[in-house]
Amino acid sequence: MAADMVTELAARVAAGTRLGTKDELRARCGVSVGTFNETLRLLQTRGVVTVQRGPGGGLFAAQQTPMARLAQSVLALDSAQDDVTEALRIRNALEPLLWQDALWHGSPADIKDLRALLARMEEAAGAEDAEQFVRANWHLHARVADITPSALLRSLYVNLLDLVERHAQAVLPQDGVPLGPYLRDRYGLHVDLVDALENRDEKSVAWLLRQHDTARAGEVG
């Protein structure tokens, strides 16, 4: 995973050390431009790297702030399934705060980005590709997290989201529920959430988040 590779690289050097340009690190990770841009956004949220523009710029190892250490503590929970279940429960508890912030701070540009990510979810649902659907869903939620002005909420939520996503590749609907209709239903719920954000419809967002609760075993976020 590109985020893990860059995090490991940054952990080996002193704060302020230049890690390379975006293109150099992207090539080293072997991922697309779009994937690396999403990875970079995540790493900045975690406080792992900083970005400097212009001559001599690039990615630099960030100072390990208390928030960055919190992020690393969350990631260290990765080994136990009980930790993942607990992370999912806490992530779900943070959802209302996150979407409420998005409701009042989201811009037209934010909504445009969210709709582009919805298109990826729709494509994956149509192909009944559970793995790609989970990935697209993860990126949608991470983009919603970008909107909040609270750095603490954003960092904690994204790192919990990352921990859950690492174990979500085999997530399937509950027994007896066909995969295709299930994915299309989850896609439709997220379309409604983004519509409610755009319309500043607080009541609809609250109601949809109750439907969105994924704390039950075997469901995608």
Side-chain angles (χ1 to χ4, degrees), residues 53-186:
R53 313 291 180 186
L59 272 64
F60 294 78
Q63 180 70 39
Q64 287 294 293
T65 63
M67 196 172 296
R69 289 194 292 272
L70 172 63
Q72 294 304 314
S73 296
V74 171
L75 293 178
L77 300 173
D78 199 37
S79 58
Q81 187 58 44
D82 286 347
D83 290 335
V84 177
T85 301
E86 185 69 0
L88 180 58
R89 187 175 75 89
I90 297 170
R91 190 212 73 168
N92 291 338
L94 295 177
E95 290 279 0
L97 289 174
L98 195 79
W99 287 84
Q100 185 176 52
D101 278 2
L103 185 72
W104 300 116
H105 297 281
S107 68
D110 293 324
I111 299 298
K112 182 178 179 180
D113 286 351
L114 292 175
R115 293 206 182 280
L117 292 167
L118 282 172
R120 289 168 54 182
M121 289 180 65
E122 182 180 26
E123 182 179 358
E128 298 190 9
D129 188 333
E131 180 177 339
Q132 290 304 314
F133 187 89
V134 169
R135 290 185 182 278
N137 178 276
W138 185 96
H139 288 304
L140 178 80
H141 283 263
R143 183 64 183 85
V144 172
D146 277 343
I147 300 172
T148 177
S150 170
L152 178 59
L153 174 59
R154 181 169 58 251
S155 180
L156 182 57
Y157 178 87
V158 169
N159 281 283
L160 288 168
L161 184 64
D162 186 37
L163 173 58
V164 171
E165 192 267 348
R166 288 166 182 264
H167 297 269
Q169 301 313 310
V171 170
L172 295 172
Q174 294 179 348
D175 292 343
V177 180
L179 178 62
Y182 170 74
L183 293 181
R184 288 191 290 274
D185 179 69
R186 300 304 295 181

Side-chain angles (χ1 to χ4, degrees), residues 45-58:
T45 298
R46 287 183 187 170
V48 173
V49 300
T50 58
V51 178
Q52 296 181 22
R53 313 291 180 186

